């Protein structure tokens, strides 16, 4: 929505309010300013009165004008614009004036004739184009005094403000609507434009027009007739329409656009002489449908669909001698679904009606007549015809305590009532409850939250004390739902890491479980009637089932078999718990051009890396798991923090041979142990970090886990992560070994200096010397 300061000043007093204050006010009340531009006419540009206009003696397209600019003698000016012949008052740039673009006016000789000045177009003055050719001035801009500087005319030196509106603020798609919001924010009353119609037809409209209605229409239309006789607009209308980017070709279309932009009312004009009638009377039929759709017809011809579109063949122009004006309103909550469901064709005015046009149709027609009267030659009928029903009055119940709770701060009752009254609400108080009558132009106000938003934006969001957001709500996430989400996320990560999900029976072979030292059910809780002899007990591990699945895949010719399963297992007493098991057998990856068709075999590091992609960083400690699958040298317990969550191992060669498998790795985890109690968040630094290596001489028998735990105890704020990159043993080192650890250092406060880096590494070295007996190599 684009407005101008002088246009707003016709509806609200802005004296003492500068443009910066307007800018801040608009932004504070939710009408975000997208752009603001001040237009100013350069010095030396004055009002000129064209005394005579003759053809240039040596050029058909040039005119020789005598122009009064308030001096003793008129100026002789050569002008090439064709419309100068129709002009009385024009904008004249006198000799010495500097126009936009540093264009200085100097005396010139055109085709042998001297010219002292330039008659300007609006574009040459830095304004938008108001018409083709020169800019024609008239009394609508102020009293035309030859020689008076145009910089003294406020309408020509205006501020144009473009506002970004949200879709629900259709009430602000007009000068009147924006002025209403300013009135509430600035605590200044709205002004009523001083207007008295020049003349009106005293004959009743019913003598010339019959309106027949059919059906119930949940909106309203208002009709009136006017005698056109060559409608003319004014310089003020052309200038303002150009400033707000609403310029039209036809003068009547410009007048309609001006009245619509000012009032917010949807207005259409039809050539009454083209309408169907009997004798001198025009007959119109207004047919409403049950879903809010309606048509205004003249015989078989469709004039318009209120709020949707106007038909062009019957559209009036400035040359129409008799004009039918139609104003309409329909609640957008009814209009928009109807248009979408029926697939109706729309015109540009639908944008306004779909967001909520102004329902004050009488005021819209009054502003239309005022715009017509500025140019003269348009006589309106004194009476009108209407159809449909005005919008129903809507109310909202409000409790002041509820209002304070929504806003988050106590707003005095007097302030709340004052704001709502200025916004057009009707207030009816009964005890602590308040009934609010919603203004008819605010279709978007539905509940007390909407009312709180109105109060808050007028009070100003910057005046509300900042407080942490507090949400008081019970935790509705049940353990079952949480476990489901964890399992779902774990499946997605496993598939992303290259594993395939297996689903196997909850039953197993008792003898195979015993063979590999897994527990079996006690006789008292054993299965009485197994489905087959091979599945005669409940499984106590998922690993054996996955090994059997891997054997079947291997027999089908698969060379890389990565599997996982999430399922239930049972202990000796038939107590159920969920486990997650991973298996990878054979090749580490499918054959491809990257590995020249010879993929590597799965090994311990690759298997651990794949598990880490699914479960996150795992700490490996000496294996405590005891069963017939565990490899004595390639196995480990898995820890998350200090909690043991499972184990992993290369399948013992004898067990792998029993399943006809080659290199195979398995890992089994307790599902409940993998569920994190909460999510830990840590800040991310914006500054560059650095990597440093430290080579230490340590006891050969000390595993790296000791160093890892020691570094975990060190409270070093710059240390972000660490890991071993090399271990070296030789006869020269004897019972010691060389261990190289890589450290990543980073600060949240700035880029690290050399002194800070060396200090951190020194503290790390001293700590490892003290805790692990390490020495710098």
């Amino acid at each position: 929505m684009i407005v101008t300061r002088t246009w707003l000043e016709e509806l609200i007093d802005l004296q003492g309010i500068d443009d910066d204050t307007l800018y801040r006010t608009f932004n504070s009340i939710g009408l975000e300013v997208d752009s603001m531009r001040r237009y100013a006419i350069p010095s030396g540009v004055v009002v000129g009165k064209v005394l005579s206009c003759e053809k240039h003696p040596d050029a058909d397209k040039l005119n020789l004008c005598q122009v009064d600019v308030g001096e003793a003698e008129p100026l002789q000016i050569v002008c090439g614009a064709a419309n100068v012949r129709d002009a009385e008052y024009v904008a004249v740039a006198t000799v010495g004036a500097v126009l936009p673009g540093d264009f200085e006016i100097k005396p010139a000789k055109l085709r042998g004739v001297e010219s002292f000045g330039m008659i300007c177009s609006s574009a040459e003055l830095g304004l938008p184009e108001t018409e083709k050719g020169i800019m024609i001035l008239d009394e609508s801009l102020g009293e035309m005094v030859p020689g008076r500087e145009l910089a003294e005319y406020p309408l020509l030196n205006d501020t144009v403000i473009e506002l970004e509106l949200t879709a629900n603020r259709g009430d602000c798609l007009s000068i009147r609507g924006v002025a209403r919001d300013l009135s509430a924010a600035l605590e200044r009353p709205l002004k009523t434009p001083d207007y008295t119609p020049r003349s009106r037809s005293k004959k009743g409209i019913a003598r010339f027009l019959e309106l027949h209605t059919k059906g119930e229409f949940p909106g309203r239309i208002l009709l009136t007739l006017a005698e056109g006789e060559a409608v003319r607009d004014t310089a003020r209308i052309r200038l303002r329409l150009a400033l707000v980017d609403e310029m039209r070709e036809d003068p009547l279309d410009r007048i309609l656009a001006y009245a619509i932009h000012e009032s917010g009312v949807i207005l259409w004009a039809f050539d009454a002489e083209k309408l169907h009638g009997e004798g001198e009377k025009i007959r119109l039929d207004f047919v409403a449908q049950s879903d809010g759709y309606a048509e205004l017809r003249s015989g078989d011809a469709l004039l318009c669909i209120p709020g949707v579109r106007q038909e062009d063949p019957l559209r009036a122009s400035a040359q129409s001698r008799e004009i039918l004006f139609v104003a309409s309103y329909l609640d957008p909550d009814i209009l928009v679904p109807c248009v979408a469901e029926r697939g109706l064709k729309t015109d540009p005015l639908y944008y306004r009606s779909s967001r909520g046009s102004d329902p004050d149709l009488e005021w819209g027609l009054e502003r239309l007549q005022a715009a017509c009267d500025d140019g003269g030659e348009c006589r309106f009928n004194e009476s009108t015809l209407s159809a449909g029903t005005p919008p129903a009055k809507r109310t909202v119940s409000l409790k002041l305590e509820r209002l304070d709770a929504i806003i988050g701060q106590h707003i005095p009752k007097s302030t709340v009532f004052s704001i709502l009254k200025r916004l057009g609400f009707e207030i009816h108080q009964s005890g602590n409850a308040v009934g609010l009558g919603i203004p008819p132009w605010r279709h978007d106000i539905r509940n007390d939250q909407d009312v709180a938003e109105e109060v808050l934006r007028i009070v100003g969001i910057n005046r509300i004390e900042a407080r942490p957001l507090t949400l008081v709500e019970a935790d509705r996430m049940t353990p079952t739902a949480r476990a489901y989400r964890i399992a779902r996320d774990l499946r997605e990560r496993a598939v992303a890491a290259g594993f395939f999900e297996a689903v196997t029976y909850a039953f197993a072979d008792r003898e195979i479980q015993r063979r590999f030292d897994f527990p079996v059910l006690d006789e008292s809780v054993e299965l009485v009637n197994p489905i087959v002899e091979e599945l005669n007990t409940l499984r106590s591990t998922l690993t054996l089932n996955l090994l059997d699945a891997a054997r079947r895949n291997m027999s089908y010719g698969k060379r890389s078999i990565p599997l996982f399963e999430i399922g239930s297992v049972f202990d000796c007493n038939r107590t159920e718990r969920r486990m997650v098991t991973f298996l990878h057998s054979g090749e580490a990856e499918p054959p491809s051009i990257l590995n020249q068709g010879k993929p590597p075999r799965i090994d311990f590091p690759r298997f651990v890396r794949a598990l880490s992609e699914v479960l996150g960083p795992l700490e490996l400690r000496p294996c405590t798991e005891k069963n017939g699958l565990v490899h004595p040298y390639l196995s480990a317990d898995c820890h998350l923090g200090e909690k043991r969550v499972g184990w992993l191992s290369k399948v013992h060669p004898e067990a792998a041979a029993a399943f006809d498998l080659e290199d195979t790795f398995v890992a089994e985890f307790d599902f409940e142990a993998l569920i994190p109690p909460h999510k830990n968040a840590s800040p991310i630094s914006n500054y560059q970090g650095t990597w440093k290596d430290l080579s230490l001489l340590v006891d050969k028998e000390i595993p790296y886990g000791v160093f890892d735990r020691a570094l975990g105890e060190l409270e070093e704020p710059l240390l972000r992560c660490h890991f071993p990159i090399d271990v070296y043993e030789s006869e020269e080192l004897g019972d010691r070994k060389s261990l190289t650890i890589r450290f990543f250092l980073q600060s949240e406060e700035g880029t690290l200096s050399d002194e800070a880096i060396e200090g951190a590494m020194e503290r790390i070295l001293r700590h490892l010397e003290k805790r692990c007996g390490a020495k710098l190599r």
Side-chain angles (χ1 to χ4, degrees):
M1 175 63 189
I2 305 177
V3 300
T4 75
R5 181 187 177 96
T6 61
W7 208 345
L8 287 171
E9 286 177 334
E10 293 180 5
L11 297 177
I12 182 174
D13 180 14
L14 295 180
Q15 185 175 1
I17 306 295
D18 59 21
D19 289 349
D20 287 340
T21 303
L22 266 184
Y23 178 89
R24 292 192 299 271
T25 302
F26 277 131
N27 284 325
S28 69
I29 62 177
L31 305 183
E32 182 180 350
V33 177
D34 184 66
S35 66
M36 178 180 280
R37 179 175 179 179
R38 175 72 182 174
Y39 288 92
I41 304 297
S43 176
V45 181
V46 302
V47 175
K49 184 176 183 180
V50 180
L51 301 177
S52 66
C53 181
E54 301 174 353
K55 282 189 176 182
H56 190 288
D58 294 324
D60 291 339
K61 294 186 178 181
L62 296 179
N63 300 289
L64 185 59
C65 304
Q66 300 295 321
V67 184
D68 179 9
V69 292
E71 298 179 356
E73 297 292 333
L75 293 180
Q76 177 174 283
I77 301 176
V78 177
C79 178
N83 65 336
V84 72
R85 300 187 186 95
D86 304 321
E88 180 180 6
Y89 293 102
V90 293
V92 177
T94 58
V95 173
V98 180
L99 300 184
D102 291 333
F103 179 60
E104 183 178 354
I105 304 300
K106 300 177 181 179
K109 183 176 287 188
L110 302 174
R111 292 290 184 93
V113 177
E114 292 184 330
S115 180
F116 302 93
M118 185 173 76
I119 301 176
C120 302
S121 69
S122 59
E124 289 166 335
L125 297 176
L127 299 170
E129 183 179 287
T130 60
E131 51 210 313
K132 296 187 183 300
I134 61 162
M135 184 179 185
I136 298 177
L137 310 178
D138 59 33
E139 298 285 342
S140 67
L141 299 173
E143 184 182 0
M144 293 288 104
V145 180
R148 184 178 178 184
E149 292 268 349
L150 290 189
E152 299 177 16
Y153 290 82
L155 294 179
L156 291 167
N157 299 267
D158 209 348
T159 300
V160 178
I161 307 165
E162 183 172 0
L163 304 174
E164 287 286 342
L165 302 180
T166 53
N168 66 313
R169 293 308 307 275
D171 62 296
C172 284
L173 286 173
S174 67
I175 301 296
R176 187 189 195 190
V178 174
R180 276 193 298 247
D181 262 27
L182 274 182
S183 171
L186 299 176
E187 300 186 31
R188 296 191 175 191
L190 285 173
K191 297 193 298 186
T192 301
D194 185 15
Y195 166 66
T196 302
R198 288 186 179 181
S199 64
R200 285 187 174 179
S201 173
K202 298 293 184 181
K203 298 178 182 179
I205 193 174
R207 295 179 60 182
F208 307 100
L209 182 65
E210 287 184 1
L211 181 62
H212 298 265
T213 62
K214 180 181 178 181
E216 294 290 333
F217 180 62
R220 185 167 176 253
I221 65 168
L222 193 63
L223 301 87
T224 191
L225 285 169
E227 298 174 2
E229 298 297 336
V231 174
R232 295 194 300 269
D233 60 351
T234 62
R236 178 176 63 173
I237 290 176
R238 293 191 296 273
L239 174 62
R240 283 183 170 169
L241 289 180
L243 290 174
V244 301
D245 198 22
E246 291 286 347
M247 182 56 73
R248 304 288 189 273
E249 289 292 332
D250 185 78
L252 178 58
D253 287 341
R254 290 198 287 266
I255 290 174
L256 283 169
Y258 185 88
I260 292 170
H261 201 81
E262 182 176 56
S263 68
V265 176
I266 303 300
L267 299 167
W268 286 316
F270 301 92
D271 192 331
E273 293 185 331
K274 297 179 181 179
L275 303 182
H276 173 77
E278 297 178 0
E280 295 183 354
K281 260 193 177 182
I282 298 171
R283 175 191 170 98
L284 298 179
D285 296 299
F286 186 67
V287 183
Q289 306 297 329
S290 59
D291 57 357
Y293 168 77
E295 295 179 346
L296 182 63
R297 290 186 168 274
S298 174
D300 295 332
L302 176 65
L303 273 70
C304 67
I305 300 175
V308 180
R309 75 173 188 272
Q310 174 186 15
E311 294 298 316
D312 288 337
L314 300 176
R315 186 188 299 268
S317 70
Q319 305 306 316
S320 300
R321 293 186 303 172
E322 193 173 8
I323 304 172
L324 171 67
F325 288 109
V326 177
S328 68
Y329 172 79
L330 182 61
D331 189 328
D333 292 337
I334 298 174
L335 175 66
V336 174
C338 176
V339 170
E341 183 177 348
R342 290 179 174 264
L344 298 176
K345 178 184 175 183
T346 62
D347 68 9
L349 286 181
Y350 176 70
Y351 176 83
R352 291 176 174 270
S353 56
S354 65
R355 281 159 175 75
S357 59
D358 198 297
D360 190 352
L361 306 187
E362 287 79 6
W363 200 78
L365 286 179
E366 179 181 302
R367 300 315 302 154
L368 174 64
Q369 184 173 2
C372 290
D373 278 354
D374 279 349
E377 306 300 332
C378 191
R379 189 182 185 200
F380 277 66
N381 199 287
E382 195 172 55
S383 58
T384 58
L385 289 178
S386 66
T389 56
K393 291 186 176 181
R394 296 179 294 114
T395 60
V396 168
S397 179
L398 178 69
K399 291 185 177 181
L400 297 179
E401 295 85 355
R402 167 71 172 162
L403 184 72
D404 291 344
I406 295 173
I407 294 177
Q409 182 173 313
H410 173 66
I411 307 296
K413 181 171 70 173
S414 59
T415 302
V416 173
F417 286 0
S418 174
I419 290 172
L420 294 177
K421 285 180 180 178
R422 297 199 303 271
L423 288 171
F425 288 82
E426 295 179 358
I427 300 175
H428 309 282
Q429 187 173 9
S430 176
N432 195 35
V434 179
L436 300 177
I438 301 173
W441 57 84
R442 291 303 303 271
H443 72 93
D444 58 312
I445 304 294
R446 298 292 180 185
N447 48 49
D448 53 1
Q449 289 96 334
D450 295 331
V451 176
E453 182 181 354
E454 293 300 297
V455 174
L456 177 60
R457 69 185 184 89
I458 300 301
V459 169
I461 190 68
N462 294 332
R463 297 174 60 184
I464 301 300
E465 181 183 353
R467 296 181 182 177
L469 179 64
T470 302
L471 297 176
V472 181
E473 186 171 351
D475 184 5
R476 304 182 187 278
M477 180 64 71
T478 65
T480 301
R482 188 161 185 252
Y484 167 80
R485 292 180 62 179
I486 296 294
R488 179 198 62 191
D489 295 345
L490 192 149
R491 284 188 176 95
E492 292 176 353
R493 293 196 300 272
V495 171
F499 288 93
F500 294 89
E501 183 172 11
V503 179
T504 63
Y505 284 115
F507 306 106
D509 190 316
R510 183 187 306 109
E511 294 305 319
I512 293 179
Q513 291 193 150
R514 283 176 175 167
R515 176 182 173 183
F516 293 103
D517 299 327
F518 286 99
V520 296
L521 293 179
D522 289 341
E523 291 294 335
S524 60
V525 291
E526 190 57 273
L527 296 182
V528 176
N529 188 21
I531 55 176
V532 293
E533 181 59 32
E534 291 80 7
L535 302 176
N536 53 16
T537 190
L538 293 176
R539 64 187 177 188
S540 59
T541 179
L542 301 176
T543 306
L544 293 176
N545 286 12
L546 286 186
L547 286 170
D548 193 51
R551 174 170 53 188
R552 288 195 300 274
N553 278 273
M554 188 67 71
S555 67
Y556 297 151
K558 300 295 182 181
R559 300 168 64 181
S560 176
I561 308 170
L563 302 175
F564 80 97
E565 181 175 7
I566 303 175
S568 297
V569 299
F570 305 85
D571 65 9
C572 299
N573 299 316
R574 218 169 181 174
T575 302
E576 181 181 359
R577 64 188 179 119
R578 296 182 78 186
M579 302 292 288
V580 184
T581 298
F582 295 85
L583 176 146
H584 198 143
S585 180
E587 296 174 350
E589 59 189 32
S592 70
I593 191 172
L594 298 177
N595 53 43
Q596 300 178 345
K598 298 178 181 179
R601 310 291 295 179
I602 187 66
D603 55 22
F604 195 88
R606 286 188 175 88
F607 186 62
V608 172
R609 184 166 60 248
L611 292 179
S612 298
E613 292 177 5
V614 181
L615 304 176
L618 294 171
E619 181 183 351
L620 303 184
R621 298 186 183 180
C623 185
T624 60
E625 182 68 21
K626 303 296 182 184
N627 61 60
L629 301 178
V630 174
H631 195 289
Y633 306 114
L634 293 175
S635 59
D637 282 351
C638 298
H639 286 249
L640 289 176
E642 292 299 319
K643 180 166 57 174
R644 181 182 184 271
V645 296
W647 57 274
L648 65 87
S649 175
K650 181 178 182 180
V651 176
H652 195 283
E654 293 181 0
F659 286 94
D660 298 325
L661 297 174
E662 298 176 353
D663 293 342
T664 302
F665 289 81
V666 295
E668 192 162 80
F669 301 92
D670 185 345
F671 178 77
E672 296 296 329
L674 295 177
I675 298 178
H678 55 79
K679 291 184 178 180
N680 294 319
S682 57
I684 298 176
S685 175
N686 293 324
Y687 300 98
Q688 182 178 0
T690 185
W691 296 93
K692 298 293 288 185
D693 294 345
L694 199 61
S695 293
L696 305 170
L697 284 176
V698 300
D699 192 308
K700 184 184 296 186
E701 303 300 325
I702 300 180
Y704 175 74
V706 174
F707 295 88
D708 186 64
R709 286 189 289 275
L711 290 170
E713 298 171 359
L714 176 62
E715 296 181 359
E716 173 52 56
L718 300 183
L719 181 58
R720 291 290 184 264
C721 67
H722 58 274
F723 53 86
I725 61 172
D726 183 60
V727 177
Y728 173 71
E729 298 180 4
S730 69
E731 294 182 359
E732 296 178 0
L733 298 179
D735 58 354
R736 298 177 75 79
K737 63 183 176 182
S738 172
L739 172 65
T740 302
I741 305 175
R742 179 162 291 174
F743 300 89
F744 181 66
L745 306 177
Q746 190 178 34
S747 172
E748 297 179 14
E749 300 176 354
T751 303
L752 292 175
S753 63
D754 291 340
E755 292 78 6
I757 294 172
E758 294 303 325
M761 295 304 296
E762 183 68 21
R763 290 189 292 273
I764 292 172
L765 177 60
R766 296 291 169 257
H767 182 73
L768 293 179
E769 287 178 348
K770 180 179 179 182
R771 293 282 285 105
C772 307
K775 299 294 182 182
L776 185 63
R777 183 181 176 189

